[in-house]
Amino acid sequence: MELWFSEEHTDHTRLSFRVEKVLASVYSKYQRIDVLETPDWGKVLLLDGKVMLTEKDEFIYHEMITHPSLFIHPAPQRILIIGGGDGGTVREITRHKKVKEIDLCEIDEAVIEVSRRFLPHLSEKLSERRVKIYLEDGEKFINEKKNHYDIIIIDSTDPSEVSQGLFTAEFYEVVSNSLHEEGILIVQSESVINNPQLVKDIYWNIEKSFPHTYLYWAPIPTYPGGIWTFTMGSKKYSPVKDLLLDYWESFKPELRYYNPSVHRAAFALPNFVEQELSLKNETLL
Amino acid sequence: MELWFSEEHTDHTRLSFRVEKVLASVYSKYQRIDVLETPDWGKVLLLDGKVMLTEKDEFIYHEMITHPSLFIHPAPQRILIIGGGDGGTVREITRHKKVKEIDLCEIDEAVIEVSRRFLPHLSEKLSERRVKIYLEDGEKFINEKKNHYDIIIIDSTDPSEVSQGLFTAEFYEVVSNSLHEEGILIVQSESVINNPQLVKDIYWNIEKSFPHTYLYWAPIPTYPGGIWTFTMGSKKYSPVKDLLLDYWESFKPELRYYNPSVHRAAFALPNFVEQELSLKNETLL
């Protein structure tokens, strides 16, 4: 038997992986969750049929959604992640001893359970002593936290019925109020190839509530369009001027993608990105 | 009727595009050539069933195989392209008035004919006065050119029966002899995700004949693995120290991907790339 999984990146483009085994298929209150074993990409986590991560390339996404802010904020004591129930983002943050508290607000407990069972390399740090898990709606959770966090990371799915509130200007304003005055917001902000209008909307929605907004990107082979963006809303720190090189040298974590050169490079935007989004990162390189 | 094209990126991963129309299917002396019309990617050129370019993302590949060398060599008068019959690489080079002669050595005339007919946006500059086309075997052609070119670009297919000679240490030594003493070689050097061993072999084969070797990369959504590499063998110029910012300011070409920040960023290598290839680009950022 030939077993193949296909994700419809658009109505007209599909990426397909051969499947050795379907390890799990769960319907939670919010979504369908599947874990596939594949020869090329290792285990693959799907939410509603979309690839959330593969074991082979998840390091790029998780290192790049976390370390750029952690290597510019000198004292990030409290960090909030909204989404990210697989644990990959938590895993990267726990590398930083300077972080005191990591709150994970994941609406769907089943994602955490599936990851704990099938993806230990991602979920193992969810049990670390600094990590607190809140099984709540991110929008509601954050409303009660004023001036509380140093870094907030929105590690959500694509906009959907459940997650669409996490992409609005109103939400980013609430996030801004939850951050300390030197705080940083990081949002996974979608594909500039497949969905430039969405990337643009996120950027300009964040820009309404933050004095400095920066787009950065990383190549993620199994995500639609391949060129994936992150948007940083920053109250004070600049991603290149404030890069903490001494801190990097002091503990040089064993990472597979991120290093200080890659950090700077990620903020160098191709012309078409700046043009389609009508933005220009402050001169960085 | 639903018409879909699939490329097998590996035995276990496929990328598929919906096809509106098959515009051409030709068997040349060397290979099968197809041109598809697709809703997502525009016209797609295939050689032996592999995507050589799509109208939507070819600008990334063609700008990045050309401009990094043209913005560090101060006086590149004669340039040779081996392969590249579609004309995209020629198109980018012709933006540079400082270039006097562009030789294109393409073994398969049918590629040029198909591109002239179906891909005018790529092939239009093949008729420019500085361009000479040689329908010859690249390995033989270059043997007769000693100390002749300033830049040589290997814009080949993946290693195949026809092209495998273009990836050997022996060939790169001949190329080195064909270059002036300040010359630069640029090679499209494959995917670091799908074929890191091949990327590594190319790098170290070039390194045997050039005093300086640099790897750089660009994200190309429709190429296998998405993260594509180029390798530069340079006799003198360094890609960051010698970047010609004044020259950039003097004519700022209307490019969609390349700019001086992107240039520097392209040489910033993720850790896994340096590790898998056992290399380190000279400190650049």
Side-chain angles (χ1 to χ4, degrees), chain A residues 217-285:
Chain A
W217 68 278
I220 303 180
T222 57
Y223 279 9
I227 305 179
W228 209 255
T229 71
F230 303 88
T231 307
M232 172 185 289
S234 180
K235 295 193 181 183
K236 178 176 175 185
Y237 300 110
S238 153
V240 172
K241 191 166 53 64
D242 295 314
L243 179 56
L244 300 164
L245 287 173
D246 289 347
Y247 175 56
W248 170 265
E249 290 298 329
S250 74
F251 90 116
K252 281 194 179 172
E254 284 192 14
L255 303 179
R256 294 188 61 211
Y257 191 83
Y258 177 94
N259 61 50
S261 295
V262 162
H263 174 115
R264 294 192 184 96
F267 291 88
L269 301 182
N271 305 337
F272 82 99
V273 176
E274 294 193 338
Q275 285 156 11
E276 297 211 14
L277 275 61
S278 309
L279 69 84
K280 193 157 181 61
N281 271 355
E282 292 171 34
T283 306
L284 297 170
L285 283 181

Side-chain angles (χ1 to χ4, degrees), chain A residues 10 13 40 256 259 271-272, chain B residues 10 13 40 256 259 271-272:
Chain A
T10 72
T13 299
D40 274 354
R256 294 188 61 211
N259 61 50
N271 305 337
F272 82 99
Chain B
T10 71
T13 299
D40 275 353
R256 295 188 60 212
N259 60 49
N271 305 336
F272 82 99

